Amino acid sequence: MNTTPAPAPPAGDWEELVTTALLGTDRRTPAGRAPGQDAPVALLDAAAVETVRRRAGLCPARAAQRPEPAAPDARPALPTAAARRLEMLLADRPGTGGGGRRGTSPDLMELLPQWLTAANARGFAAPVQALPALLDAARGRTDLRPAALEFAGPRALWLARLNPDWRFALRATPGGGTALPDLDAPDQVQLLWQEGLFAERVALLAAIRAQRPAAARELLVTTWATERAEDRLMFLDSLRMGLAAEDEPFLEQALADRSRNVRATAAELLSALPDSALAARMAVRASACVAVDRTREEPGLVVEAPHECDSGMERDGVVAKAPAGRGERSWWLSQLVEATPLGTWERRLGGRTPAEIVALPVADDWRSELHAAWCRAAVRQRNAEWARVLLGTPSAPEAGGPGAVSLAERAKLLSTLGGGERAEWVAGFIGVQGLSEAFQLLGVCAVPWAAPLGRAVVDALNIARDAGSYPWSFSGVMGLAERCLDPAEASRLDGLLAVPDESEDAAPGAGGYWAEAFQRLVTTLRLRAAMSEELGPVQVG
């Protein structure tokens, strides 16, 4: 073996040594060495010397500036018991060794959103030691992020700037957590509006709109003509907050925008202003299409859909091209009716009430189309009276309601009603139609469910259990009940915990499943009650 020390390679020769190793010493030899058996050893010696030289010659880097401390969080700390509960909920998330539904055990991760909502309602600050797990949980579940970031407070943004895995917190926070200027300092506001990043400008506009709607609109006007189309759309959407008649002139100008999406959004906002000129124009067009048929003994409605979509209609937001499988005339009619103030029909159709109008027969199979458009108008205009009529009675929703309107559309109509009325209507629907049809409707009911709705759900589950119904088809409703049923209902369920006798036509194993599901439901309700008690009462005022 050659023991002659290899000469130190010139500085920066590491890449040359790597290339020689990749090619092989039979094709290339280290610098200053002859080919032969000693070439591989010489290469390794040279690499060893270069490694020592690189390590010994490394200059220390300049010390990085220490990050500024996180902003203080002045909110009160969690009670000790509630902090322990939070640790349990976070430890149960997927990927931590816990998580998943296990027999009669509650699904803790599904209770975390509810716990966060309750903690935020009480104004507590997140324990600092829980922040990493909380941000990890929010990273994996977008539905969790708003409540989780509110609870985490300013420290979440501080941590997000240090860990790329948590950058979603910066994206989810208007302006990326940047401090906004004093709104009473016009120079600072103008500087940020003119030179800030897009997210900062969106946050600034939203903040001003929340406090001074007119000032926000005036600020937007100053740069509107030079903004990109996608930015104009986002800025325009901010006007939904505090939308008022004073916004109409600006929105009317936006109807002539170069961008189709901007025009459509402007038209939608104007149609939500019942006294706007656009709403009046739509009312004139729609009124020309729907009238009382006076040629018959019994009053009814006759419909004549538009024969064309002219430029004026398009300017006011009517989309000319119908979706696949949809007739053009019916498509144009539905858009006109949807954008027409509902009060128009009471004046146009002989002073009739909404109930009388909806009860009128409609000629030539236009009833479903007309009623569906009225449903969308009631939702857009938040008109509870029309929504109530279009829903019909829970006992006969198809006969007394809007024809072929889907359950999804009924759920939207319900959202315009108060919480108590909404729960009572869905409870009545469950009593007639059953739980399977009501699943979408349950999702729009306030949590915890009002007593009539809770009783209706429990009674329907009990009936399904006693009938030996296929139990797994009710798993979705069971999951909702665990999160939404009032914990006070737990005592009513004790009689359902035993395994029922199975009839011959029952699904195999149904009795055991029902008993396990009801046990999990009771355990979850009692856990929710304990969670609420640990957090304490909501402070009023």
Side-chain angles (χ1 to χ4, degrees):
M1 181 176 182
N2 184 5
T3 58
T4 305
D13 246 11
W14 179 256
E15 291 77 7
E16 178 66 23
L17 293 172
V18 171
T19 302
T20 300
L22 291 172
L23 294 174
T25 53
D26 55 336
R27 299 177 61 188
R28 176 186 287 192
T29 57
R33 290 288 177 177
Q37 285 185 320
D38 294 337
V41 176
L43 174 64
L44 295 176
D45 288 344
V49 171
E50 174 65 2
T51 299
V52 173
R53 186 194 67 77
R54 283 158 58 96
R55 290 176 179 173
L58 183 64
C59 295
R62 184 180 297 276
Q65 184 177 359
R66 298 182 64 181
E68 292 293 326
D73 195 335
R75 296 176 296 175
L78 274 176
T80 303
R84 286 198 298 266
R85 181 72 64 189
L86 175 61
E87 291 179 3
M88 292 174 57
L89 295 175
L90 291 172
D92 200 64
R93 71 182 191 277
T96 60
R101 177 149 294 190
R102 303 178 297 276
T104 60
S105 299
D107 190 344
L108 299 184
M109 193 59 185
E110 288 304 312
L111 295 182
L112 181 58
Q114 194 169 111
W115 187 96
L116 289 170
T117 299
N120 287 332
R122 291 159 174 81
F124 288 123
V128 291
Q129 67 273 17
L131 288 176
L134 182 62
L135 288 170
D136 281 342
R139 179 192 179 198
R141 284 183 57 174
T142 56
D143 65 307
L144 203 62
R145 291 179 182 178
L149 293 177
E150 179 184 350
F151 181 57
R155 290 168 176 154
L157 301 177
W158 186 85
L159 288 170
R161 295 187 183 98
L162 301 176
N163 186 344
D165 289 344
W166 300 331
R167 289 292 172 85
F168 70 87
L170 301 177
R171 295 192 297 270
T173 304
T178 302
L180 296 177
D182 184 351
L183 301 186
D184 290 319
D187 292 342
Q188 297 178 25
V189 169
Q190 278 293 337
L191 181 63
L192 183 59
W193 180 248
Q194 296 288 344
E195 301 181 6
L197 299 175
F198 175 68
E200 295 171 339
R201 301 177 72 214
V202 170
L204 176 64
L205 189 65
I208 299 176
R209 184 69 177 179
Q211 299 182 32
R212 305 166 190 171
R217 184 183 62 251
E218 292 166 4
L219 182 65
L220 181 55
V221 169
T222 62
T223 59
W224 179 258
T226 59
E227 302 287 357
R228 299 182 307 165
E230 53 268 32
D231 294 351
R232 293 199 304 276
L233 181 62
M234 185 70 74
F235 292 142
L236 191 63
D237 200 61
S238 70
L239 298 187
R240 294 182 189 276
M241 181 189 302
L243 183 67
E246 292 74 18
D247 298 317
E248 183 180 355
F250 174 72
L251 293 174
E252 274 285 342
Q253 292 180 6
L255 290 176
D257 195 88
R258 301 184 302 275
S259 166
R260 182 178 64 181
N261 290 333
V262 171
R263 295 195 302 269
T265 300
E268 180 189 346
L269 292 173
L270 284 167
S271 69
L273 295 171
D275 296 325
S276 69
L278 179 138
R281 294 193 295 270
M282 288 298 200
V284 170
R285 294 174 181 128
S287 297
C289 298
V290 182
V292 176
D293 186 355
R294 304 185 186 280
T295 63
R296 302 180 182 181
E297 293 183 6
E298 293 294 328
L301 296 179
V302 60
V303 175
E304 180 69 23
H307 289 274
E308 64 173 341
C309 181
D310 58 35
S311 59
M313 290 168 61
E314 288 195 66
R315 181 181 182 274
D316 285 344
V318 176
V319 178
K321 184 175 177 58
R326 183 78 180 272
E328 281 187 335
R329 296 181 65 198
S330 66
W331 170 242
W332 299 332
L333 173 71
S334 68
Q335 293 178 80
L336 295 180
V337 173
E338 181 179 348
T340 296
L342 288 165
T344 300
W345 303 110
E346 299 166 42
R347 297 187 297 270
R348 165 72 173 162
L349 303 177
R352 291 177 170 84
T353 66
E356 291 170 336
I357 293 171
V358 170
L360 289 173
V362 184
D364 300 327
D365 297 325
W366 282 104
R367 181 177 186 271
S368 296
E369 190 73 59
L370 185 59
H371 284 207
W374 279 337
C375 285
R376 293 190 292 275
V379 173
R380 178 184 293 189
Q381 298 169 34
R382 311 303 297 171
N383 191 310
E385 183 181 7
W386 273 84
R388 197 175 289 119
V389 170
L390 290 161
L391 274 167
T393 61
S395 59
E398 291 294 337
V405 173
S406 67
L407 282 173
E409 288 172 310
R410 289 196 183 96
K412 294 176 183 177
L413 287 171
L414 281 169
S415 69
T416 68
L417 306 181
E421 185 179 2
R422 199 182 313 171
E424 186 176 351
W425 195 95
V426 177
F429 185 90
I430 290 172
V432 176
Q433 303 292 336
L435 281 174
S436 298
E437 293 295 318
F439 184 77
Q440 291 184 68
L441 306 180
L442 287 170
V444 300
C445 293
V447 178
W449 288 335
L453 178 57
R455 287 194 294 270
V457 171
V458 171
D459 291 344
L461 288 171
N462 190 20
I463 291 170
R465 167 184 175 269
D466 291 344
S469 301
Y470 194 67
W472 296 274
S473 61
F474 294 91
S475 59
V477 176
M478 273 292 187
L480 272 179
E482 290 173 22
R483 299 188 295 276
C484 304
L485 199 62
D486 192 324
E489 295 288 328
S491 58
R492 293 186 61 235
L493 298 169
D494 286 339
L496 304 177
L497 302 183
V499 178
D501 296 330
E502 295 185 10
S503 60
E504 292 183 0
D505 57 346
Y513 173 89
W514 281 113
E516 181 181 279
F518 277 118
Q519 179 64 64
R520 183 169 57 242
L521 176 57
V522 170
T523 304
T524 302
L525 293 178
R526 288 176 175 155
L527 175 58
R528 285 175 50 208
M531 285 165 40
S532 180
E533 185 176 348
E534 291 163 357
L535 286 165
V538 178
Q539 300 298 323
V540 180

